[in-house]
Amino acid sequence: MKAFRLDELEAERAANDGAYLQFLRERNMSVGLYALDAGAVDPQQPHRQDEVYFVVSGRASITVGTETTQVGRGSVVYVPAGAVHKFHHITEDLRVMVVFSPPEG
């Protein structure tokens, strides 16, 4: 078993001055914490993996392909591999758990 605390992951991510911290990598998936502050621009490009986003905190909109929806704490969004997608109109600091399958990278 591997167990993680969100507050510790956030501290590690912040200490490394990055928007993304991968904290679990296994044969069939990887998991990370993604952070975008209010007003930030999301620099993501399409990924080769399927993704699931779970919004831990914050508020924003996300566009996947031609569809847009608002997200907040508790929202779950699936993004298929290769799909153009971005968070935008980030009105509250956004913290998102990201699951990639297969593992990212």
Side-chain angles (χ1 to χ4, degrees):
M1 176 174 86
K2 296 177 184 177
F4 305 91
R5 290 182 44 99
L6 188 58
D7 58 341
E8 292 171 354
L9 295 172
E10 176 61 14
E12 182 179 349
R13 184 205 57 77
N16 289 315
D17 293 324
Y20 183 72
L21 171 70
Q22 182 181 94
F23 61 88
L24 179 66
R25 183 178 181 85
E26 296 295 334
R27 186 172 50 97
N28 293 316
M29 68 173 193
S30 61
V31 184
L33 180 63
Y34 190 43
L36 293 166
D37 291 336
V41 174
D42 184 1
Q44 291 193 78
Q45 297 297 318
H47 305 283
R48 293 179 295 158
Q49 305 83 359
D50 287 338
E51 296 175 80
V52 173
Y53 290 114
F54 172 72
V55 178
V56 175
S57 63
R59 300 194 70 67
S61 294
I62 185 171
T63 298
V64 179
T66 59
E67 296 181 272
T68 299
T69 192
Q70 292 184 342
V71 295
R73 182 177 176 213
S75 296
V76 178
V77 178
Y78 166 70
V79 179
V84 174
H85 61 287
K86 297 249 187 247
F87 289 99
H88 52 92
H89 296 97
I90 303 166
T91 58
E92 296 175 16
D93 292 353
L94 191 63
R95 300 300 182 262
V96 181
M97 188 158 310
V98 186
V99 178
F100 287 98
S101 181
E104 181 191 32

